[in-house]
Amino acid sequence: MNIMLIDDDEAIRDMLQDIIEDYELGTVVASLPSAAKLTTAELVARHIDLLIIDMLMPDCDGIDSVRRFHDFPGKIIMISQVDSKDLIGKAYESGVYSYITKPLNRNEIVSVLRSVEEYIRLERFAHTLQSTLQTTLNPAVAVAPAKEVTPQQKAASLLKELGVAGTAGYDDLLEIIAYLQAHHKSSTFPSLKKIFTAIAEEHAAENIQKEAKTIEQRLRRAVFQAMVSTASMGVVDYTNPKFEEYAPFYFDYAEVCSIMRTIQQNEKPQISKVHINIKKFIQALYAASLEP
């Protein structure tokens, strides 16, 4: 992901670049003090995927600049010390993907940039798929109906939105969804012990109980990561529809709010201080994976 930083405060740009490099969130192609002379053509020519721009700069207005870039195909994140709901609303109306208030919070930045990266990846995949279909399908032949999405595929998409893709428990969760789809037929949801044992047996582990415990530990960390990602989403925008849907559906809402307060205090959430309801998460993920 190619990133351009624009802020008249060099210290802010340096901080953002350090975070991006430390967490391998992309490549900072350019770091500029102003957007006054920047054009959409230049952004496209430099293959910028993400533009991070300050709202208020001495020689230009961030919102006006974003409106100038209305043809820019990439995503834009706006940063500012201003927390006025009216101005934040105007920022979103101008076309920004997300809005981050200063002082900058490392966890929030990491979460938002990972969300942007995943969104861009999915957009590119959809575009590639669409282009492939357009070039391979014979226009004279009736187009076949779209292939039905499986529960596992739906779960994979949801886990990516929740920030779990790449975690150690990601594959375990997809295996659990497949297991439930194949074996869960009654109205009573199976116990976690039964589920973990079944997955451990599928792994052909020598020590089933030990493997089941290891799976539980991986899932605990994965669900914690999803909670932090969702809480960061709420810190950025409490009215975000996805936050409003995900926070109470997948987690204990009070725990998500607790993580939000931790992030707002510029502290790092700790898994040992959070109650993690793995069963609720799995039940919610399974229910959501079955939705059309």
Side-chain angles (χ1 to χ4, degrees):
M1 182 166 68
N2 291 333
I3 303 172
M4 178 180 286
L5 308 176
I6 302 179
D7 195 305
D8 59 298
D9 188 337
E10 185 177 0
I12 293 293
R13 300 201 311 272
D14 288 344
M15 176 185 177
L16 285 168
Q17 184 158 351
D18 287 343
I19 293 173
I20 290 167
E21 292 175 351
D22 288 347
Y23 288 84
E24 299 180 350
L25 299 170
T27 301
V28 177
V29 175
S31 179
L32 308 175
S34 171
K37 298 181 180 180
L38 186 65
T39 64
T40 301
E42 183 178 353
L43 289 170
V44 173
R46 301 181 78 163
H47 304 288
I48 303 300
D49 299 305
L50 173 64
L51 174 64
I52 303 179
I53 184 170
D54 188 24
M55 175 184 278
L56 303 175
M57 290 175 282
D59 60 347
C60 66
D61 179 273
I63 292 179
D64 288 341
S65 296
V66 171
R67 287 172 178 157
R68 268 196 297 123
F69 305 144
H70 65 277
D71 290 330
F72 171 52
K75 303 302 175 190
I76 300 176
I77 293 176
M78 183 162 284
I79 57 176
S80 177
Q81 291 180 334
V82 178
D83 59 3
S84 163
K85 289 185 177 180
D86 182 52
L87 282 177
I88 292 174
K90 288 182 179 179
Y92 279 108
E93 288 173 4
S94 70
V96 303
Y97 176 88
S98 188
Y99 186 99
I100 301 177
T101 55
K102 298 177 181 177
L104 299 180
N105 176 280
R106 176 177 291 260
N107 291 330
E108 180 181 354
I109 292 168
V110 172
S111 176
V112 172
L113 264 63
R114 281 179 174 162
S115 171
V116 174
E117 185 177 27
E118 182 60 24
Y119 190 90
I120 290 173
R121 192 192 68 78
L122 291 173
E123 269 193 336
R124 287 175 177 171
F125 174 76
H127 178 72
T128 301
L129 182 61
Q130 184 179 31
S131 299
T132 302
L133 288 172
Q134 288 175 344
T135 56
T136 57
L137 286 176
N138 185 339
V141 179
V143 178
K147 186 177 180 180
E148 185 178 351
V149 177
T150 67
Q152 262 190 304
Q153 291 171 327
K154 182 70 179 292
S157 177
L158 290 168
L159 289 174
K160 289 172 183 175
E161 289 188 5
L162 288 162
V164 178
T167 65
Y170 174 75
D171 290 336
D172 294 309
L173 286 164
L174 294 184
E175 286 184 281
I176 288 172
I177 296 302
Y179 167 79
L180 292 172
Q181 175 70 9
H183 300 94
H184 177 48
K185 305 300 180 183
S186 67
S187 59
T188 304
F189 201 82
S191 68
L192 291 182
K193 183 178 180 180
K194 181 178 180 179
I195 294 173
F196 298 159
T197 300
I199 301 302
E201 290 173 348
E202 290 181 2
H203 291 176
E206 293 183 7
N207 188 325
I208 298 297
Q209 291 185 341
K210 183 179 180 181
E211 176 65 9
K213 188 64 178 177
T214 301
I215 291 171
E216 181 179 8
Q217 291 171 348
R218 288 198 295 260
L219 291 179
R220 178 176 169 79
R221 290 192 293 270
V223 175
F224 173 70
Q225 176 59 44
M227 292 177 74
V228 173
S229 178
T230 303
S232 298
M233 193 188 302
V235 170
V236 174
D237 180 10
Y238 193 75
T239 62
N240 186 314
K242 287 187 177 180
F243 170 77
E244 293 180 337
E245 176 187 355
Y246 293 166
F249 183 64
Y250 289 97
F251 317 104
D252 292 338
Y253 188 71
E255 293 297 322
V256 175
C257 291
S258 176
I259 295 175
M260 288 174 64
R261 289 192 293 271
T262 299
I263 294 173
Q264 288 168 333
Q265 293 168 3
N266 289 327
E267 297 177 5
K268 184 177 180 180
Q270 298 181 27
I271 192 170
S272 60
K273 296 183 178 180
V274 178
H275 171 67
I276 299 173
N277 192 334
I278 298 177
K279 187 169 186 177
K280 178 174 182 177
F281 184 85
I282 291 175
Q283 286 178 316
L285 181 65
Y286 179 59
S289 73
L290 296 179
E291 293 179 358

